[in-house]
Amino acid sequence: QLQLQESGSGLVKPSQTLSLTCAVSGGSISSGGYSWSWIRQPPGKGLEWIGYIYHSGSTYYNPSLKSRVTISVDRSKNQFSLKLSSVTAADTAVYYCAREAEGPIDYWGQGTLVTVSS
Amino acid sequence: QSVLTQPPSVSGAPGQRVTISCTGSSSNIGAGYDVHWYQQLPGTAPKLLIYGNSNRPSGVPDRFSGSKSGTSASLAITGLQAEDEADYYCQSYDSSLSGSSVVFGGGTKLTVL
């Protein structure tokens, strides 16, 4: 059974960079046919796709966040990471890592709350 | 403002049938991209409910069904149960001049009366 677990700082100061890591267990992050995603959900609001990285290493980002987002993969540790720069209070959200199976998102992490505050 | 439009809320009594709509445009659902549906119980991560417009993952009851037509999709829940009370999201893909992106609906809160 595939499992994903987010980790990282739960509190980030405005203008700084948010950094999260997603550890994948029960399967290889290098398996073909999947992409590894970051999705966020502000408190009380809906889901917003941030971006994903394919098994090949290609990355695709939400156009509205593209200038601030970097997603990378560490195959040796079977994990992938998110960096979001120049954060503001509007970036406060629960951040989920997930696996996308050529369309549907079939596995999700439990989510981690990141608060942007001084 | 979500690219995919869902009603903010729907409700129904136990045993009834409810539907949740997801309206898009020619750059997403109308372009032929598949629609997927998720159920999010309070305090938990979303769970895949319907994929590829009308397919149920293993373990999802057949009370849940999906359909797609033109620029819209729908999720139907029959035999409503108390445990169905949750938020529901549709998801597709959008490709326009501003770029390509996975997109979600704004979510619909289902209340079981």
Side-chain angles (χ1 to χ4, degrees), chain A residues 39 41 45-49 52 60-63 96 100 102-106 108-111, chain B residues 36 38 40 44-48 50-52 89 91 93 98-106:
Chain A
I39 295 153
Q41 185 172 34
K45 296 188 178 181
L47 301 167
E48 180 180 34
W49 177 73
Y52 55 55
Y60 295 84
Y61 302 133
N62 186 325
Y96 295 100
E100 181 177 330
E102 296 184 342
I105 300 166
D106 58 354
W108 297 69
Q110 65 183 25
Chain B
H36 319 292
Y38 303 87
Q40 186 177 33
T44 69
K47 167 193 165 185
L48 181 63
I50 296 288
Y51 68 94
Y89 293 90
Q91 177 234 320
Y93 190 80
S98 60
S100 300
S101 176
V102 169
V103 289
F104 289 96

Side-chain angles (χ1 to χ4, degrees), chain B:
Chain B
Q1 200 94 357
S2 301
V3 172
L4 304 178
T5 301
Q6 297 180 233
S9 63
V10 297
S11 62
Q16 285 190 332
R17 177 181 187 270
V18 296
T19 62
I20 299 172
S21 61
C22 175
T23 303
S25 67
S26 59
S27 65
N28 41 69
I29 299 175
Y33 295 114
D34 284 342
V35 178
H36 319 292
W37 291 90
Y38 303 87
Q39 177 191 60
Q40 186 177 33
L41 298 170
T44 69
K47 167 193 165 185
L48 181 63
L49 200 62
I50 296 288
Y51 68 94
N53 306 315
S54 59
N55 302 291
R56 284 186 307 277
S58 174
V60 173
D62 60 5
R63 301 186 296 105
F64 295 90
S65 63
S67 63
K68 173 189 162 184
S69 178
T71 58
S72 296
S74 289
L75 173 70
I77 310 172
T78 58
L80 207 56
Q81 299 180 4
E83 59 258 36
D84 298 333
E85 188 160 290
D87 293 325
Y88 293 83
Y89 293 90
C90 59
Q91 177 234 320
S92 187
Y93 190 80
D94 186 272
S95 185
S96 64
L97 291 176
S98 60
S100 300
S101 176
V102 169
V103 289
F104 289 96
T108 298
K109 182 175 181 58
L110 169 62
T111 300
V112 181
L113 302 171

Side-chain angles (χ1 to χ4, degrees), chain A residues 6-89:
Chain A
E6 306 90 349
S7 62
S9 176
L11 180 63
V12 182
K13 289 181 168 52
S15 80
Q16 293 191 342
T17 295
L18 176 161
S19 295
L20 295 173
T21 296
C22 181
V24 179
S25 59
S28 173
I29 203 166
S30 298
S31 298
Y34 302 110
S35 56
W36 303 92
S37 305
W38 288 98
I39 295 153
R40 69 181 183 180
Q41 185 172 34
K45 296 188 178 181
L47 301 167
E48 180 180 34
W49 177 73
I50 299 170
Y52 55 55
I53 185 164
Y54 274 123
H55 61 90
S56 63
S58 301
T59 52
Y60 295 84
Y61 302 133
N62 186 325
S64 68
L65 298 170
K66 187 175 182 178
S67 63
R68 299 194 291 131
V69 174
T70 302
I71 296 176
S72 59
V73 65
D74 185 336
R75 300 183 195 285
S76 66
K77 295 182 178 179
N78 214 39
Q79 64 186 33
F80 62 107
S81 299
L82 168 70
K83 290 188 185 301
L84 180 66
S85 64
S86 305
V87 297
T88 69

